[in-house]
């Protein structure tokens, strides 16, 4: 793995692990082969899934970076590892929707497939025990999860990220229906001049078929984690097709 030293494991989540490097501004992110849904009530392992998601996230975050949208992604290290910026994660799940599906339909009885224009942005509390409850901006601020100014910035970044993601996917014949993002506070200890960098909110975590609802634009075939969540088909094949479409 290049010449970067994989140090102590700092965090293990359902789909990824994070390790220290010798640079306090940078971590190594490892994508695991685990598949989980419904707050890990449904679990499985899919050989090769970590490698696919590592590459999909690198391709998408790389393209977002070229479009001027900063994320934690720095570079691919090997099949399942990427070098990322070390951030303080804002414990919010930020969901952007272009069509009604999933929990929006379950919560409100909205017909699946209803177009949403302008897109809807929702925020939820990232907390499995509470099942990631949706929040108002005011409740999130009351809980100290983020300030109202940070939430406004996060929602704006989620919308512009979505516009770019929709365009990237559509060029490859994939339609983005909705997605979840996470953001982090990045306060680099060392910028390119050697001093402390400008603290800022940037896109964090991953952008993959685990976090986006996607269909093949021509056939309507599903290409995302709903294949696993609702036993709708071969999830491995769906993930492989998505990576191939994105040029991986
Ligand atoms: P919904 O609220 O309809 O279940 O999900 C909306 C979108 O956000 C879907 O694309 C879904 O994959 C993503 N999403 C929502 N919550 C989570 C979560 O806890 N983990 C992941 N990986 N994706 C989520």
């Amino acid at each position: 793995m290049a010449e970067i030293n994989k140090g102590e494991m700092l965090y293990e989540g359902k789909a990824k692990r994070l390790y220290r490097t010798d640079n306090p501004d940078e971590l190594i992110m490892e994508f695991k082969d685990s598949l989980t849904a419904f707050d890990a009530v449904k679990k499985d392992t899919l050989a090769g899934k970590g490698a696919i998601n590592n590459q999909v996230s690198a391709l998408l975050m790389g393209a977002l970076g070229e479009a001027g949208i900063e994320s934690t992604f720095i570079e691919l290290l090997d099949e399942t590892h990427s070098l990322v910026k070390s951030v303080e994660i804002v414990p919010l799940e930020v969901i952007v929707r272009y069509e009604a599906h999933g929990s929006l339909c379950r919560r409100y009885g909205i017909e699946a497939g209803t177009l949403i224009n302008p897109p809807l942005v929702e925020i939820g509390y990232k907390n499995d025990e509470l099942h990631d409850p949706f929040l108002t901006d005011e409740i999130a601020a009351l809980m100290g999860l983020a300030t109202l100014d940070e939430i406004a910035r996060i929602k704006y970044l989620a919308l512009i990220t979505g516009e770019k993601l929709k365009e990237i996917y559509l060029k490859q014949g994939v339609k983005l229906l909705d997605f979840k993002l996470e953001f982090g506070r990045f306060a680099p200890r060392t910028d390119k001049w050697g001093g402390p960098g400008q603290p800022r909110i940037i896109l964090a975590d991953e952008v993959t078929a685990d976090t986006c609802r996607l269909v093949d634009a021509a056939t309507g075939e599903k290409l995302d984690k709903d294949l696993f969540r609702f036993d709708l088909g071969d999830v491995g094949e769906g993930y492989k097709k998505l990576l191939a479409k994105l040029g991986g």
Side-chain angles (χ1 to χ4, degrees):
M1 189 189 306
E3 61 284 349
I4 292 158
N5 186 25
K6 185 173 172 183
E8 174 202 358
M9 187 171 79
L10 285 179
Y11 165 86
E12 175 156 21
K14 287 171 287 191
K16 296 181 294 293
R17 298 186 185 96
L18 285 171
Y19 300 86
R20 274 192 215 284
T21 68
D22 296 335
N23 181 343
D25 287 332
E26 296 177 358
L27 302 175
I28 290 174
M29 180 179 275
E30 179 185 7
F31 285 75
K32 306 198 293 187
D33 282 344
S34 49
L35 265 167
T36 65
F38 312 119
D39 305 318
V41 169
K42 184 173 165 118
K43 290 187 217 177
D44 207 343
T45 302
L46 178 68
K49 183 226 169 195
I52 292 177
N53 276 7
N54 186 35
Q55 288 178 67
V56 166
S57 201
L59 285 165
L60 293 172
M61 283 183 160
L64 289 170
E66 280 169 24
I69 298 171
E70 186 179 7
S71 75
T72 47
F73 175 74
I74 301 172
E75 62 174 333
L76 268 178
L77 295 175
D78 65 17
E79 272 215 322
T80 52
H81 296 83
S82 284
L83 188 66
V84 299
K85 294 170 193 158
S86 175
V87 293
E88 179 196 6
I89 288 286
V90 177
L92 295 175
E93 299 202 328
V94 186
I95 292 171
V96 179
R97 300 179 193 268
Y98 305 109
E99 273 188 23
H101 292 279
S103 76
L104 189 70
C105 300
R106 281 200 303 280
R107 279 178 283 143
Y108 303 113
I110 298 172
E111 196 182 334
T114 303
L115 292 183
I116 305 175
N117 189 14
L120 179 68
V121 188
E122 297 181 284
I123 56 170
Y125 180 27
K126 195 173 138 59
N127 183 313
D128 278 355
E129 267 170 42
L130 297 176
H131 311 294
D132 303 337
F134 285 95
L135 299 166
T136 62
D137 297 4
E138 291 73 17
I139 293 173
L142 174 74
M143 292 171 70
L145 306 179
T147 65
L148 288 173
D149 282 350
E150 284 179 323
I151 295 167
R153 176 79 184 152
I154 283 170
K155 287 184 160 181
Y156 166 73
L157 289 174
L159 280 171
I160 60 169
T161 303
E163 287 310 303
K164 195 67 210 172
L165 275 181
K166 245 194 323 185
E167 189 188 310
I168 298 166
Y169 278 128
L170 208 55
K171 268 193 203 148
Q172 312 306 331
V174 177
K175 191 169 163 198
L176 176 63
L177 306 177
D178 61 32
F179 59 98
K180 184 263 301 181
L181 298 176
E182 293 181 24
F183 290 86
R185 302 181 184 97
F186 183 46
R189 290 164 183 79
T190 324
D191 70 3
K192 64 179 174 179
W193 307 109
Q198 179 69 37
R200 53 199 187 263
I201 298 239
I202 63 174
L203 178 61
D205 194 49
E206 65 179 292
V207 183
T208 62
D210 274 9
T211 60
C212 296
R213 205 167 251 132
L214 303 162
V215 290
D216 183 309
T219 64
E221 183 188 1
K222 283 196 142 294
L223 298 170
D224 63 64
K225 195 161 94 171
D226 275 358
L227 291 166
F228 170 70
R229 286 191 187 103
F230 305 111
D231 298 314
L232 296 175
D234 187 332
V235 61
E237 280 308 305
Y239 279 41
K240 273 189 217 155
K241 271 186 202 161
L242 178 66
L243 176 60
K245 279 178 179 293
L246 293 175

